[in-house]
Amino acid sequence: MKSTLEELLARINILDVVSQYVKLRKAGKDYMGLCPFHKEKTPSFTVSIEKQIYYCFGCREGGNAINFVMKYENLSFKEALESLAKEYGVEVRGGGDPRRASHFDALARLSEYYFDCLKGSRATLQYLNRRGIDEETIREFRIGYSDPAGSRLKSFLKSSGVPNDVYLSTGIVRMKDRDLYDMFRGRVVIPIFDVNKKVIGFGGRTLEKDGMPKYINSPESSVFSKRTALFGIDKTRKDIAEQNEVFIVEGYFDFISLYRHGFRNVVATLGTSVTEQQVSKLRNYTSNVSLMLDGDEAGIKSALRLIGMFAEMDLNGAMVLLPEGHDPDSFVRKEGVEAVRSVVKTKKPILDYYFDYNMKKEGIKTLEGKQSLIKAVMPYIEMINDGVKKRLYIKRLSELTGVEETYFKGYDQERGTGTVPDGIDPVNIIGKKVVSVFIHNPDLLEFFKGKEVIEYVRDEDVKEILTKMLDSYAETKQLEMKSFIEVLEKDTLKEFVLSAAFDKAEYDAEELKTVLSDYFKHLKKQFIRDESKKITELLSEAEKRGDEGAVMKLLEKKRQVLTVIKNNFL
């Protein structure tokens, strides 16, 4: 596995991997972006091309490209290694979590089964055609159909080469009265892909006019959660990042219709309300999130629910309200592309819609109406972190209600921010600087090779790191961070090293040697003084016991220590 790991790390450029998930901007030699692993408003997530590592100064997550994929995709180390190895053409012995792997295999086979079933269902093809779904779109999205005839399912299961237990464990294939059946039977089936284009689940739409429920999704599994999944993200994430905006729609056919008509910075929820997990994923590609919703009251209320979440994540949340009676699918098919573009131009920040919504609902001419507006919108205004934006909303509220701006400046409500608290990890700060010096100048490890000074380091973490650094350098004559961090077994040591790797202290060659010499000289001095103190304590105890032999030996040892101090430090 080690040789495979080294070969893979040698081929990977971490910037290529991370930028598929996180929007990065150049900052000096490094790249920075919003951390995908915790909520933050100011970028503290840093990627170093030179060292091929990433590190977040907010939540202290870090590692190499494999560690990133492992964390982001919630994979085991072997699974992340296998996924990247496949992408970069590196052969890997062994595999990942067998349960997840078997689920992916079963879902991929089910997808092809549904796709094949559709070819023989004339009624379903006609239904799709009425919705503007042509053969090319069917192939691109691998749209299928679940044949209600149990015989066809049984034939597929028998010939697929995957045990029935695996299909049953996905929750899609089920058993009743010792007979196997498919939860999507009689429905149009649309596969849901993750960012790596693996099938993770399905959505099923009834063909019956009054059939209920209209849509159903795959059950939760080891690879699928409808709260985190986003339909279409596999196709549109690059367009979202390039256009720096995403439009969220509610259904599969809303997405497919917009995508077919050239709108490529779109994703869809799985027929559910937008969740925090979905928004967190999208924030990796853009800070501009627009909701394209039905123009009814339910659509507006659904968007209003997100104001606090967007404010907390420092996202620009906007709304596009479609004409009443339309959803994105029906609107683009009936009115055309230009009509959609015209409506998109009318989008407004969600909070602006909230102003309009409350003024329409309660009125603004009466005292009660003004009080209602203030009470409704001020909690959301208080959540805004952008000072200028916040003052503009306060000014607007003041103009609408006639209440002076100074009143609103004192209006505040205690609330949890959800941010990671600031603080300094209680580590050996000087030790971290020394580790940083060695990371940036590994050739200096040669200067201390074989010296006993490492033994004087009292911080056990720093001692272990320096020891492993010396061992690694002695073996390879280099110190590559992307490989070295895999040598460190403890997460605390990895975090320490990754943090030190991004320290930017600048020294010339001679200053570096001086810094290191002074550090180890200080450690040796402290070590010897500690030894002297211990000897004094032992000497006192020996004198109390009347142990003259021990007293003489300790006095001689103390004399030697004092001589070392005098010759080296005085």
Side-chain angles (χ1 to χ4, degrees), residues 114 135 203 223 247 296 372 375 394 432 450 455 487 494 512:
Y114 294 136
E135 288 186 14
V223 299
F247 289 90
D296 56 16
S372 176
K375 186 177 180 180
I394 287 176
K432 180 174 282 189
E455 296 304 315
V487 176
K494 289 184 179 181
L512 287 171

Side-chain angles (χ1 to χ4, degrees), residues 515-530:
V515 168
L516 294 174
S517 295
D518 288 348
Y519 171 67
F520 287 118
K521 188 175 181 179
H522 166 75
L523 291 176
K524 186 174 182 180
K525 180 179 179 180
Q526 190 64 50
F527 179 82
I528 292 173
R529 283 184 171 170
D530 288 345

Side-chain angles (χ1 to χ4, degrees), residues 41 310-314 380-390 415 417:
K41 295 160 186 175
F310 285 165
E312 190 175 357
M313 293 186 182
D314 202 26
Y380 297 109
I381 293 176
E382 283 294 329
M383 290 180 183
I384 299 172
N385 292 288
D386 185 313
V388 174
K389 187 187 292 186
K390 190 173 187 176
R415 64 188 187 280
T417 63

Side-chain angles (χ1 to χ4, degrees), residues 73-304:
E73 298 289 351
N74 193 27
L75 303 176
S76 68
F77 181 82
K78 285 185 178 180
E79 288 171 334
L81 183 70
E82 188 180 41
S83 175
L84 285 170
K86 183 178 180 181
E87 183 178 347
Y88 283 84
V90 176
E91 185 178 351
V92 180
R93 293 185 299 276
D97 180 348
R99 180 179 173 82
R100 284 176 62 92
S102 62
H103 274 191
F104 279 128
D105 185 27
L107 293 168
R109 292 173 187 269
L110 278 170
S111 178
E112 291 308 302
Y113 164 70
Y114 294 136
F115 183 71
D116 288 337
C117 285
L118 177 62
K119 298 172 186 175
S121 177
R122 184 177 178 183
T124 309
L125 288 169
Q126 289 174 341
Y127 167 80
L128 292 172
N129 184 257
R130 288 195 299 272
R131 299 200 65 154
I133 307 296
D134 56 21
E135 288 186 14
E136 183 181 347
T137 305
I138 289 172
R139 284 195 301 271
E140 181 169 6
F141 286 90
R142 308 306 290 175
I143 298 172
Y145 171 69
S146 176
D147 194 322
S151 58
R152 184 159 186 177
L153 174 67
K154 290 173 186 176
S155 176
F156 159 73
L157 294 175
K158 187 175 180 179
S159 62
S160 73
V162 176
N164 286 347
D165 286 348
V166 176
Y167 288 110
L168 288 167
S169 69
T170 67
I172 296 170
V173 175
R174 301 175 179 183
M175 181 176 286
K176 184 177 182 181
D177 298 329
R178 303 184 68 179
D179 196 23
L180 293 170
Y181 71 96
D182 168 11
M183 68 173 287
F184 293 114
R185 60 192 184 280
R187 291 174 177 266
V188 174
V189 182
I190 304 171
I192 303 162
F193 296 85
D194 66 9
V195 291
N196 295 316
K197 300 189 181 300
K198 288 184 178 180
V199 180
I200 58 174
F202 301 95
R205 209 277 188 197
T206 183
L207 294 172
E208 299 173 13
K209 185 176 181 181
D210 299 317
M212 293 299 290
K214 187 182 290 186
Y215 287 95
I216 57 174
N217 294 313
S218 293
E220 301 283 309
S221 73
S222 64
V223 299
F224 176 72
S225 169
K226 65 181 180 181
R227 293 187 60 80
T228 60
L230 285 163
F231 182 69
I233 190 69
D234 57 302
K235 296 181 181 297
T236 60
R237 58 179 178 165
K238 289 183 180 179
D239 292 280
I240 292 167
E242 288 173 4
Q243 298 183 46
N244 194 24
E245 183 175 24
V246 62
F247 289 90
I248 301 177
V249 296
E250 292 183 351
Y252 304 104
F253 287 104
D254 291 331
F255 175 91
I256 292 171
S257 287
L258 289 173
Y259 188 87
R260 283 186 63 247
H261 286 86
F263 296 94
R264 298 298 167 91
N265 56 328
V266 184
V267 294
T269 61
L270 308 185
T272 61
S273 300
V274 179
T275 66
E276 182 179 325
Q277 295 95 319
Q278 291 166 335
V279 174
S280 293
K281 277 190 175 183
L282 292 173
R283 192 184 61 164
N284 297 324
Y285 305 106
T286 180
S287 59
N288 300 302
V289 180
S290 297
L291 308 172
M292 189 177 289
L293 304 169
D294 302 354
D296 56 16
E297 185 176 358
I300 296 173
K301 286 184 176 180
S302 176
L304 298 180

Side-chain angles (χ1 to χ4, degrees), residues 469-520:
M469 278 184 162
L470 286 167
D471 291 343
S472 181
Y473 185 79
E475 183 180 344
T476 63
K477 295 301 178 184
Q478 60 183 352
L479 190 67
E480 289 191 342
M481 280 297 96
K482 61 184 180 182
S483 301
F484 178 67
I485 56 175
E486 296 302 333
V487 176
L488 305 171
E489 296 178 0
K490 300 177 186 175
D491 289 340
T492 53
L493 299 188
K494 289 184 179 181
E495 189 279 317
F496 189 105
V497 168
L498 289 164
S499 177
F502 285 95
D503 277 356
K504 301 295 184 182
E506 299 290 341
Y507 303 102
D508 61 34
E510 288 305 312
E511 285 177 324
L512 287 171
K513 289 185 179 181
T514 302
V515 168
L516 294 174
S517 295
D518 288 348
Y519 171 67
F520 287 118

